[in-house]
Amino acid sequence: MDKTVVKDAFKLIVICLLWYTTSSGGNIVGKLVLNEFPYPMTVTMVQLLSGALYLKPIISMMSVPETGTVPRYYYWTMILPLALGKFLASVSSHISIWKVSVSYAHTVKATLPFFTVLLSRIILGEKQTFPVYLSLVPIIGGVIIATLTELSFDYIGLISALCATIGFSLQTIFSKKCLKETGLHHLYLYVTICRLAAICFFPMWALFDLRRIYAHHDLLNEGRIGYCVLLLLVDGFFSMLQNVFAFTVIAMVAPLSYAVANATKRIVIIGASLFFLRNPVTPMNLLGMAIAVFGVLTYNKVKYDQNVAMRHAATLPLVKSASNLEEMDKNHVLLSLHHSQSASDLELHSNGVNTNLLHNHILFNNNHFQSNHVTLIPVQSNENLGDREWQPNRDNSNVHSRMVYHV
């Protein structure tokens, strides 16, 4: 086997392990801090501030280029609503973890594909194939079984988990649209959203949580405030890291591979929470969780097959054989890559950015300055380009178009 392939596979495994570790650690620490410090809005504010304060110096130190432009009106029509959704979804997520077990909360969040399909149909008018709709059945069925057998069931926890899932679905849809229309680097968008959400909701946090925390004399007098602050800081740091590692995995693998890795991450979080937090579960509860996760994996596979079929159907009238179809598909992707690279270089040159430095930058793939290949570790990808979903940028103001997934 090629040494480069082995090296890249090892890098991917390390990044996935770090992603799983920070995600599991963040959820476990989040549950601990909410048990000691039952203020979900405060936990959300700490995570937003962590994303705004920790990540900005890191990407500045690594000289990540500030590509793309955002018109003033766009902040009001897109960025600010995304910040609102980020805050509300995060608060709802923390309420669900506070009220119910981490394992059950993440089982409910497995319904993310269902809400994504539903909202995409309502908002964007996207239609799916019958296998895609059919793959949603085990997801819903598994969540229902887990709900009926959940020992720590709480209506507020269930409703909060569903609200968080809907919020994350909307974020996924509109974040894709935002990155495509502005050409922003996804980490800069994340920092901007965190900053706006923290600034806009600081008065609300001060009105509700800060006043209640000050009035909570038992917490202050018992000397547990230092322990709670430490847990809050660790939770915020884990939240920032898991977002960075998630985007790195997105850049290193194909969309289907990322979807499978994300489903595997949910399994790891559920397993880690059961092991470390020792919340009681029944065999039927575990069965429901397993069915829901299996449904997510099935959905990812049929959704990928649907995208491949649509791409081939659009190309089929132009070719005479299957071999020509595959060859044309590969040539189309290579031409798109070349065009994307040339257009990106031209705009960056016009903005005074040295593209030679960018092509070898630690945050970019060594082989290509590609649209959705931004990594923390240089990767020489040998993956079949035909397996990737490329979407040419239709907006002349964009430097890249990227794929965004909620993590």
Side-chain angles (χ1 to χ4, degrees):
M1 184 180 292
D2 189 357
K3 291 183 178 180
T4 304
V5 176
V6 175
K7 184 178 179 181
D8 292 344
F10 178 75
K11 290 177 181 178
L12 178 60
I13 291 173
V14 171
I15 293 296
C16 282
L17 289 176
L18 291 172
W19 182 27
Y20 297 165
T21 301
T22 53
S23 297
S24 302
N27 279 272
I28 293 172
V29 172
K31 181 66 173 179
L32 293 175
V33 71
L34 286 168
N35 287 340
E36 292 284 335
F37 189 78
Y39 300 100
M41 192 180 298
T42 300
V43 177
T44 298
M45 288 295 294
V46 171
Q47 287 191 354
L48 293 174
L49 290 173
S50 298
L53 298 177
Y54 297 160
L55 191 55
K56 178 61 176 177
I58 292 176
I59 59 181
S60 297
M61 181 177 60
M62 291 179 145
S63 302
V64 180
E66 296 190 38
T67 57
T69 57
V70 182
R72 185 180 297 274
Y73 76 90
Y74 204 81
Y75 278 98
W76 296 100
T77 59
M78 182 64 72
I79 306 295
L80 193 58
L82 279 174
L84 171 63
K86 172 70 175 175
F87 179 81
L88 296 178
S90 296
V91 172
S92 299
S93 179
H94 289 126
I95 292 175
S96 68
I97 293 176
W98 173 34
K99 291 293 184 179
V100 297
S101 64
V102 174
S103 57
Y104 176 64
H106 275 271
T107 303
V108 175
K109 290 177 183 178
T111 57
L112 182 67
F114 169 77
F115 288 108
T116 301
V117 169
L118 179 63
L119 293 172
S120 296
R121 179 64 182 269
I122 295 173
I123 298 173
L124 304 178
E126 291 184 0
K127 296 182 180 181
Q128 311 297 332
T129 60
F130 178 74
V132 172
Y133 291 120
L134 189 63
S135 68
L136 300 176
V137 175
I139 298 177
I140 303 302
V143 172
I144 291 175
I145 293 174
T147 299
L148 294 176
T149 58
E150 175 61 32
L151 298 177
S152 63
F153 177 78
D154 183 273
Y155 282 108
I156 296 178
L158 172 61
I159 294 173
S160 298
L162 289 174
C163 290
T165 306
I166 295 173
F168 291 143
S169 299
L170 289 171
Q171 277 188 278
T172 300
I173 294 170
F174 287 104
S175 292
K176 289 179 182 181
K177 179 178 174 63
C178 179
L179 290 177
K180 182 177 180 180
E181 292 177 348
T182 64
L184 280 175
H185 190 284
H186 51 258
L187 293 181
Y188 276 110
L189 177 62
Y190 177 69
V191 171
T192 302
I193 289 175
C194 287
R195 285 180 172 178
L196 281 176
I199 293 173
C200 292
F201 289 95
F202 181 84
M204 183 183 295
W205 169 78
L207 179 63
F208 288 96
D209 269 16
L210 183 60
R211 183 171 52 86
R212 292 167 56 207
I213 293 170
Y214 181 76
H216 194 173
H217 298 293
D218 293 339
L219 178 65
L220 300 176
N221 295 335
E222 291 175 6
R224 292 185 288 124
I225 189 66
Y227 176 65
C228 293
V229 170
L230 177 62
L231 288 178
L232 283 170
L233 293 176
V234 173
D235 179 65
F237 187 69
F238 275 160
S239 175
M240 184 273 297
L241 285 180
Q242 74 99 5
N243 276 281
V244 172
F245 290 136
F247 281 119
T248 302
V249 174
I250 290 173
M252 295 176 72
V253 300
L256 178 62
S257 301
Y258 172 78
V260 173
N262 195 31
T264 305
K265 181 204 74 172
R266 202 170 297 281
I267 298 174
V268 172
I269 292 175
I270 292 174
S273 67
L274 293 175
F275 179 79
F276 287 103
L277 298 177
R278 304 291 183 180
N279 55 285
V281 290
T282 64
M284 286 299 295
N285 193 237
L286 291 175
L287 177 63
M289 295 178 187
I291 293 175
V293 173
F294 172 77
V296 173
L297 293 172
T298 304
Y299 166 82
N300 291 330
K301 180 62 171 64
V302 297
K303 181 67 175 176
Y304 174 78
D305 291 341
Q306 173 187 282
N307 292 333
V308 172
M310 290 173 61
R311 186 170 68 244
H312 283 194
T315 313
L316 190 60
L318 304 177
V319 297
K320 296 181 180 180
S321 66
S323 59
N324 289 340
L325 176 62
E326 294 178 0
E327 186 66 27
M328 179 173 290
D329 195 34
K330 293 179 182 179
N331 291 337
H332 172 71
V333 172
L334 291 174
L335 287 172
S336 298
L337 274 175
H338 177 72
H339 174 73
S340 176
Q341 182 176 351
S342 301
S344 301
D345 288 350
L346 180 61
E347 180 162 342
L348 289 172
H349 272 306
S350 67
N351 292 330
V353 179
N354 189 337
T355 55
N356 291 328
L357 293 176
L358 292 179
H359 288 187
N360 297 316
H361 195 279
I362 192 170
L363 283 171
F364 290 87
N365 188 295
N366 285 346
N367 295 332
H368 303 286
F369 181 51
Q370 299 174 6
S371 61
N372 53 347
H373 282 261
V374 185
T375 66
L376 288 176
I377 296 180
V379 179
Q380 296 177 346
S381 175
N382 294 307
E383 188 173 358
N384 184 357
L385 292 175
D387 291 338
R388 299 187 182 275
E389 300 179 37
W390 293 94
Q391 299 180 356
N393 192 348
R394 294 179 175 84
D395 188 275
N396 292 331
S397 66
N398 295 354
V399 178
H400 340 320
S401 62
R402 301 182 183 85
M403 300 188 66
V404 179
Y405 301 81
H406 175 71
V407 297

